[in-house]
Amino acid sequence: MSVPFLWLVSILCLLVSALPTARAAQSDAVISPRATVTLVTDDDTYRPGRPLHVGLRLRLAPGWHTYWLNPGDAGDAPTLDVTATGGATGQASTIEWPTPRVLHDGPLTSYAYTGDVLLPATLTLAAGEGDGPVTLNARAAWLVCAEVCVPENGRFSLTLPRGEARPSAEVPSFARAAADRPVASPFAARVSPAGVLQLDGRGLSPDAVKDAWFMPEVAGAIDQDAPQAVTVRDGVVQLVLKPGPVFNSGAGLSGIVVLRDPMGRERGLSVHPEVGDVRALAPPSVAVPAGGIAHVGWLVGMAFVGGMILNLMPCVFPVLAMKVLSLERMARGERRAALVGAGAYAAGVVGSFVVLGGAIAALRVAGQQAGWGFQFQSTGFVIAICLLLFAVALNLLGFFAIGLRLMGLGDGLPAHAGDFLTGVLAVVLASPCTAPFMGAAVAGALAAPPVVGLLVFVALGCGLAAPYLLLACMPGLLGWLPKPGRWMETVRNLLALPVLGTCVWLAWVAKLEGGMDALDLLAAGLVLVLVGCWCLRRASMMDLRDAMQGRAGLYRAIAILLLLVAFVGGGVLPPASVHDRSRGTGRVTDGSSVFSPTRLAELRRQGRPVFVDMTAAWCISCLVNERVALSTHAVQDAFARRGIVYMKGDWTLRDAAITAFLHDHGRDGVPFYAYYPAHGAEVILPEILTPGLVLRMTAPEGK
């Protein structure tokens, strides 16, 4: 090799070393098997007064991720502190967070970054000592997770010369981070106290928004594991969120709403919604068209038929006891009393249906996702009804003679107030059940104008009361009853058994919803009811002896006090005693998987058949269907052979995703069953199931 050639190579090396390179915009790396991390800038030079963008660049190994400002259920957000010294001074520690991804790992949800991610910050430089270079010293900590989580940290140093702006090789990384950063939402945002988030504005439509989800800035603001039901209309996007333990309806709910268009492109919007009334959007499939008289008639007809069938549902079995005893009076020929009593019962039924429907509609206007049977999602209500039925059972067993007059209240009430209250109780107990034809009618009523909704609920009440009214108007139908005698007392005692069985079931529901605290409170209430009823019995015996009527009044007062304490104390649970409702009831233990709209969509994309079971612990029809049909060996074996995924949605406690799913299918209550074949449209099953029906409707085509 000649000497001139060596001189030429040496000169070229000196020239190259003197040239500025992209290396000047990147520090030495902190390297682990999980990530390679450096401090980078978007400029190879600096000048005081000119903002300098710095960032922590993490090149994460496949399968590993790090976290956002709110890490979600687990994790920790990265931190970055940068200090400038030398020719300029300054400090930065606020990361300008790009929009993260939502990662689901079993029951946990995280907001995280994967792959090559840059976490930028802006450094404002002030004049320092002289015109020399500036040195950037940074400290950073980050957590990387896969199957395990490993905390990592590092110190970084980077020196930049003074000079005119000269973009570095890291500019594309900063551009990507800027593009991923959420922008201020151009749409008005509101959130209801119940957690319904709504965006309003031009540009929102089903053609522009295919999907949306929300990520809160504060951990615990929502239950991020709960699916977020999305409804899109022209000018409106609505998300149903499940409030978390630190949700504060008075302070709003800040975070990021991500909108995905039909092409799969996503944009993150930074929202700071105002707290206000948000009316839940009605599902389009059940909206009543203006002037649709035929459709209104169809809804009313379905409601009447559904109300009649409701008499055969197991929810109303306890009320049948009181109705059978009333038939005795009809059989004895007291026609006028029977007609008036039947009318009072019907008035109680119809009035209660109207009040219950109005309550559901009012809650929806207030932003609550209330559906049919919503009151049984309250642990206090379940306890109160259990105590009431326990008192009814004691009465049927002859423990005491129940009556408003016995309690000193009857003089100011109509003679058939008891029949009216029996009708009220019938509706309260029937509300957890959804009879055939009834589900679509209720959903249509809640989506229709108020007048139409009123007619539908009146029709439901008339349907439920119709058989009893028919018997009262046609006493000849009672000719099959034997003559009054001792058998009546035996029947009366036997009818207490299904009522006591209902009490046991309600105690189980209360335990699922409120835990052992609710069960303890219920037990104390049962004791108070028992003692109160004993006092009423003593009062009724003393009323027969004039000399003891004063003491009878004392016993009656004690009884009323004990019963008030039992029902008020049982119906109002202190918040601390109720289980964390975000955890659910834990009833999905039969091999089924927990319902999730996201999981359902994923399984359908994979071409796997899915059977969806929407149930609740307080729904007797649901439990009967599970026992006689869905849990049978034949059905479970068929599901396994056919590869059918059995998904169960537990609506025992309020679940916005299940409520939205029911609304999307024109339903407002459970049970609800849908089968999604591997290929083809979904199949809706009736409310009453048999093993043969399930096997037939889930059979592969051609079999």
Side-chain angles (χ1 to χ4, degrees), residues 339-355:
L339 288 173
V340 176
Y345 169 78
V349 169
V350 174
S352 298
F353 264 113
V354 171
V355 171

Side-chain angles (χ1 to χ4, degrees), residues 309-384:
I309 298 176
L310 200 58
N311 284 280
L312 305 177
M313 305 300 286
C315 294
V316 296
F317 281 172
V319 182
L320 291 179
M322 292 172 278
K323 293 167 73 175
V324 167
L325 294 176
S326 298
L327 292 178
E328 299 174 11
R329 183 176 59 193
M330 293 184 190
R332 291 196 296 268
E334 300 172 10
R335 182 168 177 76
R336 184 177 183 282
L339 288 173
V340 176
Y345 169 78
V349 169
V350 174
S352 298
F353 264 113
V354 171
V355 171
L356 188 58
I360 297 174
L363 288 173
R364 290 192 171 188
V365 171
Q368 298 277 353
Q369 291 296 302
W372 187 249
F374 74 97
Q375 67 273 25
F376 278 85
Q377 296 172 332
S378 165
T379 312
F381 181 85
V382 172
I383 291 176

Side-chain angles (χ1 to χ4, degrees), residues 472-504:
C473 295
M474 302 178 66
L477 297 175
L478 297 174
W480 54 269
L481 284 177
K483 293 182 179 181
R486 294 181 59 87
W487 67 270
M488 291 184 175
E489 189 63 28
T490 302
V491 170
R492 180 188 180 96
N493 296 156
L494 290 176
L495 290 175
L497 298 181
V499 179
L500 289 173
T502 304
C503 292
V504 175

Side-chain angles (χ1 to χ4, degrees), residues 378-607:
S378 165
T379 312
F381 181 85
V382 172
I383 291 176
I385 293 299
C386 185
L387 296 177
L388 177 60
L389 290 181
F390 183 62
V392 170
L394 293 177
N395 172 248
L396 293 173
L397 290 170
F399 192 82
F400 73 108
I402 192 170
L404 297 172
R405 199 171 298 276
L406 173 62
M407 299 179 68
L409 304 174
D411 295 335
L413 294 176
H416 290 276
D419 293 303
F420 180 86
L421 294 177
T422 301
V424 174
L425 182 60
V427 174
V428 170
L429 293 179
S431 58
C433 287
T434 303
F437 303 104
M438 181 180 164
V442 171
L446 296 174
V451 174
V452 176
L454 177 65
L455 289 175
V456 171
F457 280 103
V458 168
L460 274 170
C462 291
L464 181 60
Y468 192 74
L469 284 171
L470 183 64
L471 289 173
C473 295
M474 302 178 66
L477 297 175
L478 297 174
W480 54 269
L481 284 177
K483 293 182 179 181
R486 294 181 59 87
W487 67 270
M488 291 184 175
E489 189 63 28
T490 302
V491 170
R492 180 188 180 96
N493 296 156
L494 290 176
L495 290 175
L497 298 181
V499 179
L500 289 173
T502 304
C503 292
V504 175
W505 161 64
L506 289 172
W508 173 65
V509 174
K511 181 178 181 295
L512 288 178
E513 294 184 350
M516 289 305 299
D517 288 345
L519 204 57
D520 293 342
L521 194 59
L522 174 60
L526 291 174
V527 172
L528 292 176
V529 169
L530 181 63
V531 176
C533 291
W534 178 84
C535 290
L536 288 178
R537 182 182 182 185
R538 293 285 296 175
S540 65
M541 295 172 61
M542 291 178 179
D543 280 338
L544 300 177
R545 300 155 62 180
D546 294 339
M548 303 187 69
Q549 284 184 354
R551 293 178 60 185
L554 176 61
Y555 272 100
R556 190 177 295 114
I558 294 174
I560 294 175
L561 177 62
L562 291 176
L563 293 175
L564 284 175
V565 171
F567 281 94
V568 174
V572 181
L573 272 176
S577 67
V578 180
H579 274 358
D580 178 4
R581 299 194 170 201
S582 66
R583 301 296 181 186
T585 63
R587 292 200 321 113
V588 183
T589 57
D590 54 1
S592 60
S593 59
V594 178
F595 170 78
S596 163
T598 304
R599 177 63 174 158
L600 175 61
E602 180 182 347
L603 290 171
R604 297 205 67 192
R605 284 195 299 269
Q606 296 173 2

Side-chain angles (χ1 to χ4, degrees), residues 42-66:
D42 69 339
D43 202 325
D44 283 338
T45 63
Y46 84 95
R47 182 177 293 279
R50 187 176 73 207
L52 179 66
H53 297 101
V54 300
L56 190 69
R57 185 174 181 183
L58 301 97
R59 298 176 180 87
L60 300 165
W64 293 85
H65 61 267
T66 191

